[in-house]
């Protein structure tokens, strides 16, 4: 099996409230997997189950083909949504303490810390207390704490909330680097742009149920509607539209253009291909713009959730 | 195990390095010693203070019955009219004036003697004077009825009951006070320790919650481990503090008393007038009493109940810390901690002292929340081993139950933000 993390029919209830209902997910090795869902969907509950903070009522979780066990904690790096550090503890001491809790020896932790402090150019913070640092600085430390023990699985719960743009970019680059070095990354977020940007796979959770999951590109193919965005210059717009109507569905749209053209979203019916559309367009005017409309993750998210409402 | 050690070490260092902790550790012995010295100094000062009391006696018979002593000087103001006498003592700033109205009837006099004073006199002074007047009036009454007072005085016998236990050792009558003192001190110390260090545990839990570091940590260690590490680390800090207090307090007390030569005996409750010939013997008996106390038993039990009581309560403190977001919200949950502790102390100081083996004392020395305090107070009065072991067994058992319950609340509570939970909700958390 090439999956690092597998969850099978995981359920969790808090009293009468169902937080997760029969969730199954497979996270391939060395991928970036995004768990999407509105607030309260059950993302954090699922992540806490992987971290063994909460136990599932039913269902099983495997990490690297082994049933989840206590010692797996050292293979997981977790950046929770609610995150912070001891304010009155010195940076170096604090990171060493947290690294040792993850199973590193003191000497090894020190060595790796030096590396990270140089990589993020924060070497002179060792003896500072967290309360003396700015928020952005503390965020860097928090990130180091998460990755220092070189986990196989990195879990980020809303990683970019609270980070300033500079740090967010830095963290994003580091996440990609870690993936290239062999780590698998699990994202939980309700910010669609970051999924669009980073994730290879995604799962959508809504009200404790999984609505869809799979490769991001595959999902997008499923959701595309064979619609093309077209910018075309024609002689008589009304005449052209009448002709177009006979063969295709269309609606007017708007996008930024330097030309004075007709801007349309044209949907191809099943009998046709995009080449048929192009040929038709070429016969009637000058094409400035031709692009397939690929649904954004955000579109898919809203569409799926409203269709289940 | 390795993680538990790391947590204990971190908690210990965090407590010990805390500025308030350091200041309190080194300031407290100084404050304590200063207070002892001050009390000793003041009580020395007080005993030098002598009072002058004027007597206005319209019968002219009582003045000679009030001989002046070291502390009180009596002056005869009977010749002056009462208004002038009062005026005069007010001007001269005497302590007061004792007024005997004209009467041959001792019964009448017993209710009509008056004492005039600017400042309300102390209770001990009043009972002192009342005693004297009563003796004088009684003697006078006896004389009037033709009874020979000397005969009565000579026939009085002074009883001094010699108390021995069954093994034949003599104990002093003060023995019960010695037992009370040792038991009370142990119980009180335990209560203070629980409140001070239990609060520290609670604050440390709240700190982790408000710093939002808690989830980072419990993704590495079990909440139960974190809670126990916290309780142990804090208790070690407490023991360190106590050790430093005893060490420095001892040195300071020794230095101060030798340098300033203040006689601490003077502040002891036994006043010099009571120190007659028999008192030397009495002191020796007290020392013997202390040595006769089951000291080994007391120390052993103190350690067990100390550790047990602390564990029991601090797990509750930890659960409370986990349930709330900030320290001000803790008030509503303090009730279940303070009430049993106070109950323990009250039962100890009222029931145990009047009847150490009565039903109330016995029952409360088995109930786990009060047993550390109450049993510690009972032990100096002699408690059978089986009773102690039974009470300890109940305590240990309830520690396991309570730590388990607290851990459940703790586990859920540390991840809950933003709402003040009710008792009902805490109960629900236990089932998650």
């Amino acid at each position: 099996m090439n999956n690092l993390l597998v969850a099978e029919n995981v359920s969790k209830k808090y009293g009468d409230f169902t937080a997760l209902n029969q969730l199954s997910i497979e996270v391939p090795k060395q991928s970036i997997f995004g768990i999407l869902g509105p607030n309260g969907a059950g993302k954090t509950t699922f992540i806490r189950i992987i971290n063994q903070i909460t136990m599932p009522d039913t269902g099983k979780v495997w990490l690297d083909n082994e049933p989840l066990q206590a010692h797996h904690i050292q293979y997981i790096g977790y950046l929770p949504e609610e995150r912070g550090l001891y304010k009155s503890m010195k940076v170096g001491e604090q990171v060493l303490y947290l690294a040792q809790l993850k199973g590193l020896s003191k000497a090894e932790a020190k060595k790796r810390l030096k590396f990270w402090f140089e990589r993020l150019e924060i070497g002179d913070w060792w003896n500072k207390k967290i309360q003396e640092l700015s928020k952005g600085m503390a965020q860097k430390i928090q990130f180091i704490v998460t990755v220092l023990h070189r986990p196989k699985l990195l879990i980020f719960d809303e990683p970019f909330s609270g980070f300033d743009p500079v740090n967010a970019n830095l963290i994003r680059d580091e996440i990609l680097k870690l993936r290239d070095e062999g780590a698998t990354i699990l994202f939980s977020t309700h910010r669609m742009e970051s999924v669009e940007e980073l994730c290879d796979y995604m799962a959508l959770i809504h009200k404790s149920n999984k609505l869809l999951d799979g490769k991001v590109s595959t999902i997008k193919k499923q959701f595309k509607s064979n619609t093309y965005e077209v910018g075309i210059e024609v002689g008589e717009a009304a005449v052209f539209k009448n002709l177009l109507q006979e063969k295709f569905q269309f609606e007017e749209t708007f996008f930024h253009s330097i030309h004075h053209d007709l801007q349309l979203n044209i949907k191809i019916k099943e009998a046709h291909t995009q080449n048929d559309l192009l040929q038709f367009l070429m016969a009637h005017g000058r094409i400035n713009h031709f692009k397939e409309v690929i649904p954004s993750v955000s579109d898919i998210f809203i569409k799926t959730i409203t269709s289940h409402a | 195990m390795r993680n538990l050690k790391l947590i204990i070490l971190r908690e210990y260092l965090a407590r010990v390095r805390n500025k308030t902790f350091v200041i309190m550790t080194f300031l407290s012995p100084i404050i304590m010693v200063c207070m002892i010295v001050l009390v000793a100094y003041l009580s020395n000062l007080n005993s030098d203070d002598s009072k002058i009391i004027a007597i206005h006696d319209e019968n002219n018979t009582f003045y000679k019955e009030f001989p002046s002593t070291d502390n009180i000087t009596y002056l005869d103001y009977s010749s002056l009219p009462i208004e002038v006498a009062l005026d005069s003592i007010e001007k001269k700033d005497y302590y007061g004036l004792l007024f005997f109205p004209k009467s041959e009837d001792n019964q009448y006099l017993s209710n009509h003697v008056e004492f005039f004073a600017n400042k309300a006199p102390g209770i001990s002074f009043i009972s002192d004077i009342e005693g004297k007047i009563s003796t004088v009036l009684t003697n006078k009454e006896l004389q009037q009825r033709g009874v020979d007072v000397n005969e009565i005085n000579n026939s009085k016998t002074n009883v001094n009951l010699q108390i021995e236990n069954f093994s034949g050792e003599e104990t002093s009558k003060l023995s019960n006070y010695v037992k009370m003192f040792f038991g009370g001190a142990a119980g009180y110390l335990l209560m203070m320790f629980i409140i001070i260090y239990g609060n520290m545990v609670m604050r440390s839990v709240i700190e982790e919650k408000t710093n939002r570091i808690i989830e980072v940590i419990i993704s590495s260690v079990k909440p139960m481990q974190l809670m126990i590490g916290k309780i142990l680390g804090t208790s070690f800090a407490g023991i360190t503090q106590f050790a430093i207090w005893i060490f420095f307090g001892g040195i300071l007390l020794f230095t101060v008393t030798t340098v300033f030569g203040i006689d601490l005996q003077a502040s002891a409750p036994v006043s010099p007038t009571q120190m007659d010939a028999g008192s030397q013997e009495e002191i020796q008996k007290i020392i013997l009493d202390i040595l006769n106390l089951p000291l080994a038993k007391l120390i052993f039990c103190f350690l067990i109940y100390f550790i047990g009581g602390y564990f029991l309560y601090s797990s509750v403190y930890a659960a409370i810390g986990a349930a709330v977001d900030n320290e001000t919200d803790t008030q509503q949950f303090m009730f279940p901690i303070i009430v049993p502790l106070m109950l323990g102390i009250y039962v100890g100081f009222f029931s145990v002292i009047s009847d150490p083996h009565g039903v109330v004392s016995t029952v409360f020395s088995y109930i786990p929340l009060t047993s550390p305090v109450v049993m510690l107070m009972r032990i100096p009065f002699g408690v059978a081993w089986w009773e102690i072991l039974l009470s300890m067994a109940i305590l240990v058992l309830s520690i396991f139950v309570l730590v388990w319950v607290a851990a459940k609340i703790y586990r859920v509570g540390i991840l809950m933000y933003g709402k003040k939970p009710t008792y009902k909700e805490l109960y629900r958390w236990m089932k998650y």
Side-chain angles (χ1 to χ4, degrees), chain A residues 9-234:
Chain A
N9 298 324
V10 172
S11 296
K12 177 78 191 173
K13 275 187 174 188
Y14 290 109
D16 297 331
F17 174 72
T18 308
L20 272 184
N21 185 22
Q22 302 284 321
L23 181 76
S24 298
I25 267 179
E26 293 179 356
V27 181
K29 267 183 190 152
Q30 245 190 308
S31 67
I32 301 185
F33 194 107
I35 296 180
L36 285 178
N39 289 329
K43 291 170 293 175
T44 301
T45 303
F46 179 59
I47 284 173
R48 283 180 181 165
I49 286 171
I50 301 172
N51 276 301
Q52 302 177 50
I53 292 171
T54 20
M55 296 296 136
D57 297 336
T58 57
K60 281 178 180 162
V61 182
W62 280 272
L63 186 79
D64 221 358
N65 299 327
E66 285 177 41
L68 201 61
Q69 290 159 35
H71 75 92
H72 283 143
I73 275 172
Q74 51 184 305
Y75 303 128
I76 300 176
Y78 176 36
L79 185 70
E81 187 181 6
E82 295 284 0
R83 50 186 169 247
L85 296 159
Y86 288 115
K87 284 203 169 60
S88 51
M89 220 173 154
K90 283 177 184 164
V91 172
E93 242 172 68
Q94 175 147 225
V95 184
L96 276 185
Y97 168 64
L98 293 169
Q100 286 182 78
L101 285 185
K102 279 285 187 189
L104 284 186
S105 74
K106 201 171 182 180
E108 182 63 28
K110 242 181 196 165
K111 215 172 80 191
R112 291 192 197 175
L113 252 181
K114 264 199 180 140
F115 165 80
W116 273 105
F117 273 34
E118 271 165 34
R119 182 145 150 189
L120 298 182
E121 296 163 352
I122 52 176
D124 52 336
W125 293 358
W126 188 276
N127 274 325
K128 281 193 176 157
K129 285 184 181 175
I130 294 290
Q131 59 200 8
E132 299 167 34
L133 299 181
S134 75
K135 218 175 167 188
M137 291 160 141
Q139 286 165 350
K140 281 186 183 177
I141 305 290
Q142 193 98 51
F143 180 76
I144 293 174
V145 167
T146 315
V147 301
L148 194 73
H149 56 291
R150 289 185 196 148
K152 288 184 199 171
L153 177 66
L154 275 161
I155 302 174
F156 296 101
D157 199 351
E158 301 292 353
F160 302 117
S161 76
F163 278 78
D164 59 62
V166 178
N167 272 332
N169 274 343
L170 186 86
I171 299 302
R172 194 198 56 213
D173 293 347
E174 290 297 337
I175 288 173
L176 288 173
K177 242 187 253 177
L178 286 164
R179 196 260 318 259
D180 295 341
E181 287 166 17
T184 307
I185 287 130
L186 191 68
F187 252 122
S188 149
T189 186
H190 58 255
R191 285 182 45 179
M192 306 304 150
E193 323 86 75
S194 47
V195 180
E196 198 94 51
E197 212 180 335
L198 289 169
C199 293
D200 312 316
Y201 295 84
M202 63 181 250
L204 210 159
I205 304 178
H206 181 54
K207 288 187 179 160
S208 76
N209 289 295
K210 184 181 77 179
L211 298 186
L212 61 97
D213 71 333
K215 219 169 172 157
V216 174
S217 52
T218 317
I219 291 174
K220 285 196 170 182
K221 262 182 207 152
Q222 279 169 15
F223 274 79
K224 72 170 188 173
S225 51
N226 284 330
T227 304
Y228 292 83
E229 198 175 72
V230 172
I232 187 167
E233 285 176 58
V234 290

